[in-house]
Amino acid sequence: MAALFDRRGRSFRDLRISVTDRCNMRCDYCMPADVFDSNHDFLPRSDLLTFEEINEVVTSLIPHGLKKIRITGGEPLLRRDLDVLIRMLAKHPLDLALTTNGLLFPSRAVTLADAGLNRVTFSLDSLDPEIFEKITGKSGDSIHRIIDGIEMAVTLGLSPVRINSVIRRGVNEEDIERLIERFRHLPVALRFIEFMDVGNHNRWDLASVVPSEEIRRLVKDRWDIQQIPSLHTGQVAKHWSLDSDTGFEVGFISSVTEPFCGDCNRARLSADGHIYTCLFATSGHDLRPVLRNPDCLETITERFQKIWSDREDRYSELRAQPRSSTTIHLPRVEMSYIGG
Ligand code: SAM
Ligand code: SF4
Ligand code: SF4
């Protein structure tokens, strides 16, 4: 099948699959506890795609150039028997990754690796128990469990192992150096992510964003760093090696200050079967009428071809032009629903 391009000439390559919109943390920049409380309407179980349906979507997108899948959420490890899905997906010739907050990872690591998971990205924003608790709503003691999980992932060869940290002004800037000090003796990539205006409830403001350039300068002042060339177009993080012989890298994901829409080759599948062609989309394309209706004449492969061919999204570029008449002020999907 011919390569699939959107209206801006971007090919399709990556699919992020959210397997649940629930989470066992309440990070204040993603699922603030006062909004995602006991009254919040999470997706009913019957709305979630089954593992077989997810596998069908993946199988249908391979002819369109799919090369990489990332399982995410919410917290993906809350989805029961996730290893069964991993085992199904591992049969495809694809890079298969998982993003997790790490709380449940140590007890699942071996099963997931045996099932065929290729690699893991952890999210960890602070090594200070008090700051960690303030951000996530979880006890600071959990930090040890997450670090155990990171070390297990390295030992199991789920590499490159990555650690994502969202750094915010006045919240956890001190963690920049602390995290580097803690992890620079491990073969992992520590990536600093700019705080984004995803969803509608995270009280984002530009003043809270710590630009990657500022962090890079801070790191350069203290360590000798060398830029590593990107592996392929669409790679969102720019990576630098540090003066260590362990393979440790520092990365920057600068979605706010250096938008990368021009190369964006990523689609997202929500837990309830909607395709989103941008993290900041206001609506998605429901695949369930195709997946769940045996009489439907259209295939997922055909449906996705139309969706991607029509794609025009470039939200982060437009954010930099506040006067533009775009979707910027419309309600957007939540990060915990669409998957980060
Ligand atoms: N629960 C898993 C986790 O935290 O790794 C997977 C889902 S989470 C939505 C995926 C990633 O999105 C995390 O690394 C998180 O830090 C990031 N994220 C969530 N909200 C964000 C925001 N407003 N700005 C930047 N990154 C954000
Ligand atoms: Fe949960 Fe991940 Fe969002 Fe934190 S960032 S609330 S761990 S989904
Ligand atoms: Fe891709 Fe949308 Fe992010 Fe731009 S704003 S890089 S189009 S997900």
Side-chain angles (χ1 to χ4, degrees):
M1 194 173 276
L4 182 59
F5 292 96
D6 70 8
R7 288 188 186 210
R8 298 189 169 272
R10 298 168 295 190
S11 59
F12 166 64
R13 184 176 190 279
D14 290 4
L15 182 68
R16 294 203 156 207
I17 303 173
S18 171
V19 290
T20 178
D21 60 338
R22 292 165 194 261
C23 189
N24 47 2
M25 282 190 183
R26 285 292 179 270
C27 302
D28 57 352
Y29 58 84
C30 177
M31 297 179 78
D34 56 330
V35 178
F36 293 85
D37 59 10
S38 53
N39 296 319
H40 182 78
D41 285 331
F42 289 101
L43 293 171
R45 198 164 293 274
S46 58
D47 278 8
L48 302 187
L49 292 193
T50 63
F51 291 163
E52 287 73 17
E53 287 170 335
I54 294 174
N55 190 40
E56 189 179 335
V57 174
V58 167
T59 309
S60 306
L61 300 197
I62 291 174
H64 285 317
L66 178 60
K67 296 280 183 295
K68 176 177 151 191
I69 39 190
R70 176 172 295 281
I71 306 298
T72 178
E75 173 47 40
L77 295 182
L78 287 182
R79 180 87 185 244
R80 198 176 304 153
D81 301 326
L82 190 71
D83 56 296
V84 173
L85 175 66
I86 299 291
R87 201 170 289 283
M88 275 181 194
L89 298 179
K91 294 199 167 72
H92 301 293
L94 298 168
D95 181 19
L96 178 52
L98 171 82
T99 298
T100 174
N101 62 30
L103 285 181
L104 296 171
F105 188 79
S107 58
R108 311 280 167 82
V110 173
T111 318
L112 292 169
D114 283 352
L117 184 67
N118 296 137
R119 53 202 187 79
V120 190
T121 298
F122 293 87
S123 304
L124 179 58
D125 302 323
S126 184
L127 292 172
D128 178 296
E130 270 181 35
I131 301 176
F132 178 90
E133 189 164 342
K134 230 169 149 182
I135 296 175
T136 64
K138 281 278 164 190
S139 155
D141 292 344
S142 320
I143 296 171
H144 299 293
R145 218 180 325 152
I146 300 168
I147 293 177
D148 283 352
I150 293 170
E151 289 174 344
M152 284 179 84
V154 170
T155 308
L156 288 165
L158 294 170
S159 45
V161 175
R162 292 175 172 157
I163 303 162
N164 284 348
S165 282
V166 178
I167 302 295
R168 283 175 296 161
R169 182 91 59 212
V171 177
N172 59 341
E173 288 155 292
E174 283 177 13
D175 275 290
I176 299 168
E177 289 180 72
R178 211 161 23 213
L179 284 160
I180 294 177
E181 283 294 0
R182 179 64 187 77
F183 292 113
R184 60 188 286 246
H185 303 293
L186 284 176
V188 298
L190 171 64
R191 293 141 30 116
F192 296 111
I193 306 183
E194 287 178 349
F195 177 33
M196 290 185 284
D197 48 336
V198 280
N200 312 288
H201 303 294
N202 68 2
R203 300 167 186 121
W204 182 87
D205 67 358
L206 192 55
S208 306
V209 178
V210 181
S212 293
E213 183 50 36
E214 186 178 322
I215 303 180
R216 206 153 36 219
R217 254 186 281 122
L218 192 151
V219 177
K220 257 186 182 162
D221 281 350
R222 180 148 173 217
W223 289 281
D224 182 19
I225 59 172
Q226 316 271 343
Q227 186 158 14
I228 302 167
S230 296
L231 291 175
H232 55 78
T233 53
Q235 186 176 319
V236 297
K238 294 197 176 109
H239 282 217
W240 301 65
S241 65
L242 207 96
D243 58 348
S244 90
D245 51 13
T246 58
F248 175 75
E249 295 173 12
V250 178
F252 300 93
I253 302 183
S254 324
S255 347
V256 178
T257 61
E258 299 164 43
F260 35 77
C261 301
D263 283 342
C264 182
N265 48 25
R266 184 173 287 179
R268 293 174 161 84
L269 178 66
S270 67
D272 61 349
H274 289 66
I275 287 281
Y276 289 83
T277 53
C278 178
L279 185 53
F280 299 91
T282 55
S283 62
H285 307 264
D286 192 357
L287 296 185
R288 287 171 306 177
V290 184
L291 280 170
R292 293 186 173 175
N293 177 4
D295 297 327
C296 179
L297 294 177
E298 195 182 29
T299 63
I300 295 289
T301 307
E302 289 163 349
R303 181 91 182 87
F304 187 78
Q305 177 157 15
K306 288 182 200 140
I307 295 170
W308 193 265
S309 310
D310 267 354
R311 176 183 191 244
E312 284 205 276
D313 312 88
R314 56 185 193 109
Y315 176 92
S316 291
E317 285 180 357
L318 297 171
R319 179 204 290 114
Q321 308 162 17
R323 271 173 231 283
S324 63
S325 58
T326 64
T327 60
I328 277 170
H329 303 292
L330 297 177
R332 298 186 285 266
V333 288
E334 293 299 324
M335 186 77 145
S336 53
Y337 163 74
I338 200 178

